[in-house]
Amino acid sequence: MESTVPTIAILLAGVVVVVGGILFLRLHAFLALTLAAFLVAALTPQTALQRYFFEQESLSVVDIADDGAVLLGGRKAAGLQSGDRLQVIGQSEGGNWEPVGMLRVDGPASEASALPLRAFPAEGNVSPADLQAGRLLAVTPASTLSVTSKLKQTIGGRVAEGFGNTCMKIGILIAMAGIIGKCLLDSGAADRIVRTALRWFGEPGAPVAFMSSGFLLGVPVFFDTVFYLMIPLGKAMRMRTGRNYLLYVLTIVCGATMAHSLVPPTPGPLLVAEELNVNLGTMILAGSIVGLFCAAFGLLYASMANRIWDLPLRDSPDMSLAELEELAQVDESQLPSFGIAILPILLPVVLISGYTIIQQQPFGLVLSPDANRVAATLGDKNIALVLSALVAIVMLVWQKRTTRQELSHAVGAALSSAGVIILITAAGGAFGAVLRQTGVASLISQLPRTSPIVICSLAFLITTAIRTAQGSATVAMITAVGILSGLARDGNLGFHPVYLALAIGCGSKPIAWMNDSGFWVITRMSGMTEAEGLKFITPMTTCMGLVGLAVVLAGVTLFPMAG
């Protein structure tokens, strides 16, 4: 228990800096997350760092044989041979982790496979049971040198390493997503998608059109921007029909907000997938399925709310109704065709998800080495987003006859906006990295695991608490995955980590109120009062998050996809 208290205290201190900095001091999310990362890194004791780094380098103990041999498996055991000696690391009375004995590798356990390897205690007081329980760790001599080097890192070095590793994973993706979103807006492609959906579904199906368009556009475009784009069309529909304005507003919200938290390449689900080692194609497919369940419930909720309450059409602070009507009446001849408009959105989804699908059983295809290399290249998340961004740029240039100067300005504006998101997300990655070094993953892994339902519910509740306290869904997801990622990294979840990612995404929906920037965007642009926002928006997003959790719990129970 003595080692548990400091870990909890450090975790709480970091969360308080993030939540308190954003909520009370009004700090930018990047600054709050960075300060929290430095604080956690400074408070983490050396013994916790030793344990964390040795755990990262240790070999996996599969089982203990009847004759006392330790069976070693995993990637780090693959290069070992008979006669190799391994160091056994344990915690001394002073608390430091240091060598306490040796293991001698005795060759593979069977002739059929090189793994697992058999190893016997060779020196010191080495208990196989302690190795299996994780109280002792087996590492190679080279790994010991690597840990020694890592322990010499400064506080700033550890924070910077976490920041850089996150940038490496998500930097290109978010930058390209920013360019795609900007080009969709400037070229009129986003407007075309919404108008086509409205034409397909007609006036009676306008809510479905708004919900589906919001969900589709919410994949590459940030929620605030999607709402800015679509609310004029919702107001125009209200002007034409004279009714159902609340229904139009809520259906725009329910589609866009779920894609924002569940479907990459938006920053929150993108970082969560990377931190939990979830394939991006898998996250896109699973996030779309759960998100559509939630959005469908939101559509039902909006229909019921519209029958009970009425939201009058009012002028918004930034634009009059006359200006909004003029914006919504842009001649369709000035917009790109639907096929071209939707291509930048579908292209990366098809490339990334397609490559993921063809690798899975029973869909696995036998491709020639050259064909497999091409498929792997095109299915790479960075390549797919770059290709999509190029298509979006060509579409903008062709549609608007954009000059090089105008194109440079548009791309620069997109990258400027994306740069802020990259900074926030990378700072969150640094915060998560130093949190893991405190041993919080080991602390959480000691919780009862009788059912995956417990773990997914815990992830949902942690994310919900952080979201409710500080407002930002993205920051809540970033902070929560930093706390929980160790559960997936230890390989003992018992179910596919995509369910953990989805639970975190669903947990970022409750509870939207006045500390959420999206809450203010919705209320101000739609003409709602704050009381109306709490009455209409807050219950809907909270219920959608709970529906998403129910879908995740059903999925992880029926189709755990373990291994």
Side-chain angles (χ1 to χ4, degrees):
M1 183 61 68
E2 293 181 0
S3 62
T4 301
V5 175
T7 301
I8 296 176
I10 294 168
L11 169 63
L12 291 177
V15 173
V16 165
V17 169
V18 174
V19 175
I22 294 174
L23 187 60
F24 298 109
L25 301 181
R26 303 299 180 188
L27 295 178
H28 191 279
F30 165 73
L31 186 57
L33 287 165
T34 302
L35 290 176
F38 276 106
L39 176 65
V40 169
L43 294 177
T44 303
Q46 187 75 0
T47 53
L49 291 176
Q50 288 176 333
R51 166 104 192 185
Y52 174 78
F53 289 130
F54 275 123
E55 283 181 339
Q56 297 302 300
E57 297 290 340
S58 65
L59 286 84
S60 174
V61 177
V62 178
D63 201 356
I64 304 298
D66 293 337
D67 60 357
V70 180
L71 302 183
L72 303 173
R75 180 175 55 85
K76 295 184 182 297
L80 297 176
Q81 299 177 354
S82 297
D84 287 345
R85 298 173 74 83
L86 306 172
Q87 289 186 332
V88 177
I89 308 297
Q91 195 168 21
S92 66
E93 293 183 0
N96 290 320
W97 287 79
E98 53 193 33
V100 296
M102 301 287 289
L103 288 178
R104 179 180 53 80
V105 177
D106 192 44
S110 68
E111 297 181 0
S113 175
L115 292 177
L117 290 172
R118 291 165 55 85
F120 290 92
E123 295 179 15
N125 184 21
V126 178
S127 166
D130 286 342
L131 279 167
Q132 188 175 27
R135 291 185 290 270
L136 297 177
L137 304 171
V139 298
T140 65
S143 295
T144 303
L145 294 176
S146 175
V147 170
T148 302
S149 175
K150 291 178 180 179
L151 289 171
K152 293 179 180 179
Q153 284 184 307
T154 62
I155 292 171
R158 287 191 281 124
V159 173
E161 183 178 39
F163 186 95
N165 287 339
T166 306
C167 274
M168 177 182 66
K169 295 176 182 177
I170 54 86
I172 293 176
L173 301 176
I174 292 179
M176 293 302 108
I179 293 174
I180 294 167
K182 177 67 173 173
C183 291
L184 286 174
L185 294 172
D186 289 358
S187 66
D191 196 1
R192 166 63 75 184
I193 292 171
V194 177
R195 292 190 185 202
T196 300
L198 286 171
R199 186 165 59 249
W200 283 352
F201 292 100
E203 181 186 326
V208 176
F210 282 130
M211 184 269 287
S212 57
S213 298
F215 191 90
L216 187 62
L217 292 172
V219 174
V221 183
F222 302 135
F223 171 79
D224 293 2
T225 306
V226 174
F227 193 80
Y228 274 120
L229 167 74
M230 295 186 63
I231 192 60
L233 299 172
K235 290 185 175 183
M237 284 293 296
R238 166 61 175 79
M239 288 177 176
R240 273 199 297 270
T241 62
R243 60 183 184 275
N244 296 335
Y245 182 47
L246 178 60
L247 177 61
Y248 300 147
V249 174
L250 293 183
T251 49
I252 291 171
V253 172
C254 74
T257 192
M258 293 315 305
H260 178 77
S261 290
L262 290 173
V263 187
T266 44
L270 176 63
L271 180 69
V272 170
E274 291 289 350
E275 289 294 301
L276 298 180
N277 294 321
V278 176
N279 177 277
L280 200 59
T282 302
M283 187 66 188
I284 290 173
L285 291 171
S288 297
I289 293 171
V290 175
L292 288 174
F293 269 99
C294 298
F297 172 84
L299 178 63
L300 177 63
Y301 180 97
S303 299
M304 295 173 59
N306 188 63
R307 292 192 182 98
I308 301 172
W309 300 297
D310 178 61
L311 177 65
L313 186 59
R314 309 179 180 113
D315 286 328
S316 57
D318 58 333
M319 193 174 290
S320 68
L321 293 179
E323 291 171 323
L324 285 168
E325 186 174 13
E326 180 182 352
L327 182 63
Q329 296 300 324
V330 173
D331 191 340
E332 290 202 11
S333 64
Q334 301 177 25
L335 305 177
S337 67
F338 178 74
I340 295 175
I342 203 171
L343 184 59
I345 299 175
L346 292 185
L347 181 61
V349 174
V350 171
L351 291 177
I352 297 171
S353 301
Y355 182 64
T356 301
I357 291 173
I358 65 175
Q359 287 184 306
Q360 304 299 317
Q361 296 294 339
F363 306 106
L365 300 179
V366 179
L367 302 176
S368 67
D370 290 340
N372 189 67
R373 193 177 302 111
V374 171
T377 300
L378 294 177
D380 177 82
K381 55 195 176 185
N382 293 299
I383 297 294
L385 266 294
V386 169
L387 290 175
S388 181
L390 290 175
V391 170
I393 290 173
V394 171
M395 177 180 64
L396 174 61
V397 172
W398 177 262
Q399 186 65 32
K400 296 295 184 180
R401 300 298 187 266
T402 307
T403 65
R404 283 177 293 181
Q405 184 176 0
E406 291 170 336
L407 179 62
S408 176
H409 177 75
V411 173
L415 292 177
S416 177
S417 175
V420 175
I421 304 299
I422 292 172
L423 286 174
I424 294 172
T425 311
F431 179 48
V434 295
L435 272 180
R436 289 192 293 273
Q437 293 170 8
T438 65
V440 67
S442 299
L443 179 63
I444 295 176
S445 66
Q446 295 171 9
L447 295 174
R449 294 200 190 185
T450 55
S451 170
I453 292 176
V454 174
I455 302 175
C456 290
S457 299
L458 175 67
F460 178 89
L461 293 173
I462 289 175
T463 313
T464 295
I466 298 171
R467 161 67 196 269
T468 304
Q470 55 78 44
S472 169
T474 300
V475 172
M477 295 175 70
I478 290 172
T479 307
V481 78
I483 298 171
L484 297 163
S485 61
L487 292 175
R489 289 170 182 265
D490 67 12
N492 296 319
L493 265 181
F495 58 90
H496 198 289
V498 71
Y499 289 111
L500 188 61
L502 295 173
I504 291 172
C506 294
S508 72
K509 294 298 93 182
I511 295 173
W513 60 297
M514 276 83 82
N515 64 351
D516 175 21
S517 63
F519 178 89
W520 291 108
V521 168
I522 296 168
T523 53
R524 288 174 177 172
M525 288 296 296
S526 67
M528 286 185 189
T529 64
E530 289 84 350
E532 287 171 335
L534 291 172
K535 183 179 180 180
F536 302 143
I537 303 298
T538 305
M540 184 183 74
T541 56
T542 300
C543 290
M544 285 195 299
L546 291 170
V547 168
L549 175 63
V551 174
V552 170
L553 296 183
V556 77
T557 302
L558 299 175
F559 310 103
M561 298 188 295

